[in-house]
Amino acid sequence: VHIDGPLSNISTAYMQEQTDFVAGRVFPVVPVEKQSDKYFTWPKNTFFRNRAAKWVPGALMKQSGFDLSTSDYLAEFRAFEHPLRWDLRDNADAALQFERAPVEYVTRMILLNREVEWSSAYMVAGVWGTDKVGGTDFTQWSDYDASDPIKDFRDGRLLVKKNTGYTPNTCVLAQEVFEVLADHPLLKELYKYTGTAILTPELVARALRVDRLFIAGGIQITSAEGVAAASETYDWIFAKRAWLGYVAPRPGLMTPSAGYIFSWRGFTQGFEVGIERIPDRRVKADYTQGFSAYALKVVGSDLGYLFDTAVV
């Protein structure tokens, strides 16, 4: 009385939530008109040396010039495409949603690639003004009896402020680090009289005294392509690290920031990720293409502070 067929109202697909990706949210995205260009940089000591002095009218005033230099960027291309044969498209069941699925697939590939690049560019040792290693420079925060993350963040915050004049306002925590901090007794002690049993990201941010906190929860397959599904290995994109730094609320002239993302929006028609569907009548297939062009740029290394191997 019934012949099995695919359901039209349900299917399953493992897709990461885009909120797990932090690459497009931590540093300001600067739309640029050209693929490569320069921007002016003012030496840090220009505005921090006390050069003014007492003066008597009629005498020459104490004076000083200042240096000015430039830095540059190159927005390199990233791209990925999915081919869909017309015969498969036209013969497919509605539940496969071949109008939507290639777009989701291509977009996720571009965003995953950017997240991996972002982690490799910014969440590694040797990039920022200060690197601290857990177990050597501070007690790892997973040691609840001996560690003091509140003090560690205070030390980082004060050092960046002393060296730059700007107080860090942003923190990036790998998911494994956040989970440890959210259960840390010292952080929970701050809220013991509020009736709060579970620390949310907002409460952790308040305890660490940062305006913005991002939890990097992206994952990727690390085993070689072609391995049987049962043998595939998955891992976090971000290692067990935490980053603290000052990020400009919005990009602008004479505005310092730990990092910027220079995004060539002309190439992508104003979108973060450009998507096009191109039919090829020669091979009877549609090519869904995703592309972007951007440069991940550290523009103020002394505005960043990295905690490496923050937890076990």
Side-chain angles (χ1 to χ4, degrees), residues 27-28 30-43 67-75 122 128 251-263 294-303:
F27 295 143
V30 182
V32 293
E33 297 298 324
K34 301 296 182 181
Q35 184 182 10
S36 62
D37 235 324
K38 296 181 181 295
Y39 58 93
F40 289 111
T41 61
W42 301 71
D67 296 325
L68 191 63
S69 59
T70 61
S71 188
D72 53 29
Y73 70 86
L74 172 62
Y122 296 130
W128 301 105
L253 296 175
M254 300 180 71
T255 303
S257 183
Y260 282 136
I261 299 178
F262 295 94
S263 178
Y294 57 84
L296 303 176
K297 186 81 175 182
V298 174
V299 296
S301 61
D302 48 4
L303 291 168

Side-chain angles (χ1 to χ4, degrees), residues 7-86:
L7 295 175
S8 61
N9 62 344
I10 187 174
S11 63
T12 64
Y14 288 82
M15 291 191 293
Q16 299 185 67
E17 294 290 339
Q18 293 193 32
T19 53
D20 283 331
F21 292 161
V22 302
R25 297 184 290 138
V26 178
F27 295 143
V29 176
V30 182
V32 293
E33 297 298 324
K34 301 296 182 181
Q35 184 182 10
S36 62
D37 235 324
K38 296 181 181 295
Y39 58 93
F40 289 111
T41 61
W42 301 71
K44 184 173 67 173
N45 62 16
T46 301
F47 299 100
F48 288 96
R49 188 173 300 281
N50 181 10
R51 294 188 171 98
K54 291 182 178 179
W55 172 73
V56 176
L60 293 176
M61 294 182 182
K62 188 175 181 179
Q63 62 177 235
S64 172
F66 52 79
D67 296 325
L68 191 63
S69 59
T70 61
S71 188
D72 53 29
Y73 70 86
L74 172 62
E76 297 180 289
F77 295 113
R78 284 82 168 174
F80 183 75
E81 71 176 8
H82 172 268
L84 178 60
R85 286 165 34 192
W86 290 356

Side-chain angles (χ1 to χ4, degrees), residues 20-198:
D20 283 331
F21 292 161
V22 302
R25 297 184 290 138
V26 178
F27 295 143
V29 176
V30 182
V32 293
E33 297 298 324
K34 301 296 182 181
Q35 184 182 10
S36 62
D37 235 324
K38 296 181 181 295
Y39 58 93
F40 289 111
T41 61
W42 301 71
K44 184 173 67 173
N45 62 16
T46 301
F47 299 100
F48 288 96
R49 188 173 300 281
N50 181 10
R51 294 188 171 98
K54 291 182 178 179
W55 172 73
V56 176
L60 293 176
M61 294 182 182
K62 188 175 181 179
Q63 62 177 235
S64 172
F66 52 79
D67 296 325
L68 191 63
S69 59
T70 61
S71 188
D72 53 29
Y73 70 86
L74 172 62
E76 297 180 289
F77 295 113
R78 284 82 168 174
F80 183 75
E81 71 176 8
H82 172 268
L84 178 60
R85 286 165 34 192
W86 290 356
D87 59 323
L88 297 179
R89 178 200 65 191
D90 295 342
N91 198 42
D93 290 308
L96 289 174
Q97 291 197 339
F98 272 155
E99 290 298 313
R100 171 190 171 190
V103 175
E104 292 278 6
Y105 178 48
V106 168
T107 301
R108 288 299 199 284
M109 290 300 98
I110 296 291
L111 295 179
L112 177 60
N113 175 260
R114 186 179 65 177
E115 194 76 358
V116 172
E117 282 193 45
W118 199 96
S119 175
S120 299
Y122 296 130
M123 292 287 283
V124 293
V127 172
W128 301 105
T130 304
D131 294 331
K132 296 294 183 181
V133 180
T136 301
D137 301 314
F138 67 96
T139 304
Q140 291 173 298
W141 302 327
S142 45
D143 185 345
Y144 285 163
D145 293 328
S147 66
D148 189 344
I150 296 175
K151 177 184 179 300
D152 295 333
F153 270 80
R154 180 174 68 242
D155 291 345
R157 190 169 58 250
L158 290 175
L159 182 62
V160 172
K161 169 71 174 180
K162 185 180 74 171
N163 288 338
T164 66
Y166 289 85
T167 301
N169 58 2
T170 301
C171 176
V172 180
L173 300 177
Q175 178 108 40
E176 294 174 289
V177 177
F178 168 78
E179 298 293 341
V180 169
L181 286 178
D183 287 331
H184 199 287
L186 291 182
L187 271 68
K188 300 187 81 169
E189 177 74 11
L190 297 176
Y191 299 101
K192 68 179 181 179
Y193 297 118
T194 66
T196 302
I198 298 176

Side-chain angles (χ1 to χ4, degrees), residues 163-240:
N163 288 338
T164 66
Y166 289 85
T167 301
N169 58 2
T170 301
C171 176
V172 180
L173 300 177
Q175 178 108 40
E176 294 174 289
V177 177
F178 168 78
E179 298 293 341
V180 169
L181 286 178
D183 287 331
H184 199 287
L186 291 182
L187 271 68
K188 300 187 81 169
E189 177 74 11
L190 297 176
Y191 299 101
K192 68 179 181 179
Y193 297 118
T194 66
T196 302
I198 298 176
L199 298 190
T200 64
E202 292 74 21
L203 293 177
V204 172
R206 189 180 304 171
L208 300 178
R209 296 188 181 181
V210 291
D211 299 331
R212 304 190 307 156
L213 185 148
F214 297 93
I215 302 171
I219 59 173
Q220 65 173 329
I221 295 176
T222 56
S223 53
E225 193 159 2
V227 173
S231 302
E232 288 179 336
T233 56
Y234 292 73
D235 202 358
W236 302 101
I237 295 174
F238 288 76
K240 298 174 181 178

